[in-house]
Amino acid sequence: MKRILLADDDFLVRSYLSQLVDWEANGYMLAGVAQDGAQALELAEKLQPDIVIADIDMPVMNGISLLQKLRERRHPARVIMLSCHDDFEYVKEAMRIGADEYLLKDAVTPEKLLQTLQELAPADDEEETQERTEEQEREQMLRLLEGTILSCESIAPDAVIAVRLTEYEETMAYQPVEQREQFYRSFLQTCEGAGKNLAAVRGIHVRGGLFAVLCAFRPGMGRQSQQLALRETAAALVQEADRHFAAAVKLGVSDAAEYSTEISSCWRDAKNALEHAFYQPGSIFYAWQCGKMGDMLPRAAEEFLKMAEDLAARRNSEAIKTMLAAALDGFTQEQTRESLVAGWLHSADRKLGIETRPMPKRFSGLREMVQVYTTVCEEMLPDVAQYSEGVADTIRYIQEHYRENISLTDAANAVHLTTTYLSYVFHRETDITFSEYLQSCRINHAKELLERTDERVREVGALVGYHDNRHFSKVFKRATGMTPQEYRKERRKS
């Protein structure tokens, strides 16, 4: 009989789920109930449940932290996350670090809960035994990669290839657990079949969209022959992933270990090489060609975070642009790790009052995302009474006519100034150009229409002055980091 541990800080939810199904009649036992993640972790160690059903947002220790602790301790329990509609980012993180399934609280029915439990815990003993053996082999190979053991029974590897599915979040993360596991099995078979010039190949699913391919060389192969075999294996893997799964992959390939005990070092080198995909085009990155990724924020990036709030308060958009450019150049020069860049972007958004946005998959996308900081200039502008009459009249003119195809010349004629003088005085008093203010005005009104109306994107663009839909979408993404469709979808989730 499968043992269930339930964790939720809401008493009503705990009571509802505890009585939702007849546990024993369906082959389960409700072994324990916890009211926060810390208590759930303690009960998991004591009761050894087969399945943990946990709320993703709990006090003391939330569901994400509970899941991390269970995975770190190699607890065998399968984990189902309970979430609300507005927990999307939490759910993505939970699936990335190893949750087996998730359920929306307001959509849980007896039938849905039992179906999910049955998919996670098939009743067939023979199947359970096979899965347990496979999991034990996987755990052994993971420990080999981590360096906590020096050998494993399945393979004596000489090198490692780190494989990342580039569209994992979009294609696999939210599929039913059974479908995901079937994909993992098929994908790993493809990985293992790519190493025709190697003595042995074993693939394992590490977490989320990350896989490891352990490679053993044929006896007597020299270093050049070993590297050639790894190149051929990597090239075949990329080709086969596209052919059989229509999946794009990025690969980090380690060099050969000098001693078999250095496989954990090979795994670190392979992951380090894989991180170069954030900055560089291509699908395959070789450790013997890649330098070490930067483990600290560049000085220019730190300086931007220190100055961001002050620059925003003083409406100094030129300084923001200059310091941003220096920060991005620093990231490129030092090849800063993607995780550090993501943390920097989150902090910069917070300091400048921008809603948190998803991190782009490539560094080139970051250059477009940061342009949102100059788009907020419209909100930085104080009351028009702070400006000279000509500039104040120009701001009013833009706010009244932004829907039309207006230009600096049109505004200059309207406020009775020369085009050259208006351009100069507008920038001097506001710290932004006429074009930047016009664009930010249009984009902000477009955001409002996307949130509050069901107008088509093309129509929204026309309503704010963009009559070329492709141009509107391009400008909107450059300013916000999202397409109009993505922005509408995100905003309506909250």
Side-chain angles (χ1 to χ4, degrees):
M1 185 171 289
K2 300 294 182 183
R3 299 164 64 84
I4 307 292
L5 172 62
L6 174 64
D8 197 298
D9 63 307
D10 189 319
F11 172 77
L12 294 178
V13 174
R14 293 199 305 273
S15 300
Y16 172 72
L17 291 176
S18 297
Q19 303 172 40
L20 186 60
V21 298
D22 187 338
W23 297 102
E24 292 190 6
N26 287 281
Y28 303 99
M29 179 177 70
L30 188 59
V33 178
Q35 60 186 7
D36 59 57
Q39 186 181 26
L41 183 62
E42 182 179 346
L43 288 175
E45 293 295 327
K46 178 180 179 181
L47 302 175
Q48 290 298 306
D50 299 290
I51 298 174
V52 175
I53 304 173
D55 184 11
I56 207 164
D57 187 14
M58 295 183 289
V60 185
M61 178 189 293
N62 64 24
I64 299 289
S65 299
L66 170 62
L67 175 61
Q68 287 176 322
K69 294 292 185 183
L70 291 173
R71 293 298 180 247
E72 287 170 3
R73 299 180 184 186
R74 303 293 187 195
H75 197 290
R78 313 299 289 273
V79 179
I80 301 173
M81 285 294 179
L82 297 173
S83 71
C84 300
H85 283 286
D86 56 357
D87 290 332
F88 178 70
E89 291 300 324
Y90 281 142
V91 172
K92 286 177 62 177
E93 178 65 12
M95 302 305 286
R96 185 185 70 79
I97 63 177
D100 296 286
E101 192 54 274
Y102 75 97
L103 293 170
L104 293 174
K105 286 187 179 182
D106 59 2
V108 177
T109 63
E111 296 76 17
K112 179 63 176 177
L113 179 57
L114 285 174
Q115 178 186 354
T116 303
L117 290 172
Q118 289 164 4
E119 289 173 350
L120 288 179
D124 186 78
D125 290 339
E126 184 177 341
E127 183 178 351
E128 286 185 8
T129 301
Q130 180 181 351
E131 288 183 355
R132 191 178 303 113
T133 301
E134 291 176 352
E135 183 59 31
Q136 288 172 347
E137 290 182 352
R138 174 178 178 269
E139 180 178 342
Q140 193 177 48
M141 286 190 285
L142 284 173
R143 292 181 64 193
L144 181 68
L145 294 177
E146 293 168 355
T148 56
I149 61 174
L150 301 181
S151 64
C152 70
E153 299 174 1
S154 304
I155 188 174
D158 300 301
V160 186
I161 300 175
V163 183
R164 181 191 297 155
L165 286 173
T166 59
E167 302 298 328
Y168 178 81
E169 294 294 340
E170 292 79 1
T171 58
M172 291 305 302
Y174 306 109
Q175 296 294 331
V177 63
E178 185 175 297
Q179 184 173 337
R180 288 202 309 273
E181 291 184 350
Q182 178 58 48
F183 172 81
Y184 295 154
R185 287 191 291 270
S186 299
F187 186 74
L188 289 173
Q189 288 175 358
T190 297
C191 292
E192 293 173 358
K196 296 180 180 178
N197 293 327
L198 296 168
V201 182
R202 286 299 304 273
I204 59 171
H205 175 225
V206 179
R207 64 177 180 276
L210 181 64
F211 300 79
V213 179
L214 286 70
C215 307
F217 297 125
R218 298 183 188 280
M221 294 179 72
R223 186 168 185 271
Q224 289 187 340
S225 297
Q226 292 172 349
Q227 289 184 349
L228 177 60
L230 289 172
R231 287 180 184 273
E232 291 173 343
T233 301
L237 205 159
V238 171
Q239 184 178 16
E240 293 300 300
D242 179 61
R243 176 185 174 189
H244 294 294
F245 304 100
V249 294
K250 302 288 185 182
L251 276 59
V253 184
S254 84
D255 208 341
E258 294 183 9
Y259 304 99
S260 60
T261 56
E262 294 184 353
I263 286 303
S264 59
S265 178
C266 286
W267 177 233
R268 288 193 297 271
D269 291 346
K271 290 189 292 181
N272 181 78
L274 181 58
E275 288 206 44
H276 285 267
F278 182 57
Y279 291 93
Q280 302 172 22
S283 299
I284 307 173
F285 303 86
Y286 300 99
W288 57 87
Q289 296 176 344
C290 296
K292 194 175 185 301
M293 300 294 291
D295 288 322
M296 298 178 62
L297 282 180
R299 179 175 296 181
E302 291 183 337
E303 287 298 318
F304 179 80
L305 292 181
K306 291 178 182 177
M307 297 293 294
E309 289 178 292
D310 181 60
L311 294 175
R314 292 191 285 113
R315 301 173 293 107
N316 194 338
S317 60
E318 286 302 317
I320 289 176
K321 290 180 184 178
T322 300
M323 295 190 72
L324 271 174
L328 297 184
D329 287 344
F331 287 135
T332 303
Q333 292 169 10
E334 299 183 22
Q335 298 284 284
T336 307
R337 292 192 184 280
E338 182 180 350
S339 58
L340 290 176
V341 179
W344 172 86
L345 178 66
H346 177 76
S347 296
D349 282 353
R350 178 170 49 80
K351 288 178 178 293
L352 286 165
I354 307 298
E355 293 183 12
T356 301
R357 299 163 291 165
M359 179 72 173
K361 297 183 183 299
R362 293 289 308 279
F363 184 77
S364 57
L366 188 69
R367 292 190 180 276
E368 291 188 0
M369 289 184 74
V370 297
Q371 293 189 34
V372 69
Y373 298 147
T374 55
T375 300
V376 299
C377 287
E378 180 185 24
E379 287 134 16
M380 293 180 190
L381 294 177
D383 187 82
V384 292
Q386 301 290 323
Y387 299 107
S388 64
E389 182 179 354
V391 172
D393 287 345
T394 301
I395 292 173
R396 294 190 189 96
Y397 176 81
I398 293 174
Q399 292 174 342
E400 292 174 8
H401 299 276
Y402 68 89
R403 300 178 182 84
E404 305 166 18
N405 186 25
I406 60 173
S407 65
L408 176 63
T409 302
D410 296 323
N413 291 335
V415 300
H416 309 293
L417 296 173
T418 66
T419 302
T420 302
Y421 180 73
L422 176 59
S423 176
Y424 166 74
V425 73
F426 191 93
H427 187 274
R428 184 188 68 186
E429 294 186 19
T430 67
D431 283 328
I432 61 173
T433 66
F434 174 90
S435 297
E436 287 173 337
Y437 181 73
L438 174 60
Q439 176 181 298
S440 65
C441 187
R442 286 171 168 170
I443 294 300
N444 284 327
H445 282 89
K447 287 158 69 175
E448 184 176 357
L449 289 171
L450 289 167
E451 290 180 44
R452 300 185 181 181
T453 75
D454 293 319
E455 297 283 358
R456 298 170 61 186
V457 170
R458 182 185 301 276
E459 293 165 347
V460 169
L463 287 171
V464 298
Y466 294 105
H467 297 282
D468 182 329
N469 186 52
R470 292 180 64 184
H471 179 61
F472 168 56
S473 295
K474 184 177 180 180
V475 171
F476 190 93
K477 184 172 183 179
R478 187 186 305 127
T480 66
M482 293 181 279
T483 66
Q485 294 92 333
E486 290 169 342
Y487 180 83
R488 171 175 274 168
K489 184 177 180 180
E490 286 294 318
R491 294 300 297 166
R492 292 191 174 181
K493 285 177 184 175
S494 56

